[in-house]
Amino acid sequence: MNDENSYSVANISGDILAPNLSGIASFKPYKDGTMVEVEISGLPGYNNYGLYQIEINNGSGCMINQSGSFSGITSIYNPTNSIYPFQSGDMPPLFSNNGYAYMKFYTTRFKYYEIEGKLVVIKSNNRKIGCGKIEKYA
């Protein structure tokens, strides 16, 4: 399963409160784990800066309901039943600079193929403002 040409990607979009939010998260095999790279634009924020929680969640998809928020998102990805912030789906926060955020990090909490079909979720004050389904790329 550790094919260097295979990886997973999530195309992320925003809800009604963050309609300009868009970006991509990629999950590539690296050493004994996964290299995660996230690039997001259109993040809402006060004074053009913000701190956003980002995590991998279980769920059926990123559908927008009638109230304009995401439905289909359930619990955080946590196959080892760990506590916060040690759950497999917990990721470092996004730091927005004028609505743009970029980060890259290495983790051994999951392999890229274990999270295919899961959801990348961005939160602001516990509201889910961004979502994208993780799909196999190659």
Side-chain angles (χ1 to χ4, degrees), residues 40-120:
I40 304 291
S41 62
L43 288 161
Y46 303 100
N47 298 322
N48 296 317
Y49 299 100
L51 182 64
Y52 299 88
Q53 185 177 354
I54 182 169
E55 59 191 30
I56 297 169
N57 280 237
N58 298 303
S60 58
C62 299
M63 296 75 64
I64 301 275
N65 61 27
Q66 289 182 340
S67 67
S69 60
F70 290 107
S71 61
I73 301 169
T74 58
S75 59
I76 189 164
Y77 176 62
N78 189 16
T80 58
N81 294 317
S82 299
I83 60 170
Y84 176 82
F86 305 106
Q87 300 167 76
S88 295
D90 289 321
M91 295 196 280
L94 289 171
F95 293 92
S96 172
N97 186 3
N98 295 316
Y100 175 81
Y102 174 86
M103 76 169 164
K104 188 173 185 176
F105 67 94
Y106 169 71
T107 184
T108 57
R109 292 184 181 185
F110 55 80
K111 305 282 191 205
Y112 78 97
Y113 53 84
E114 294 172 339
I115 57 168
E116 288 173 359
K118 307 287 184 211
L119 309 172
V120 173

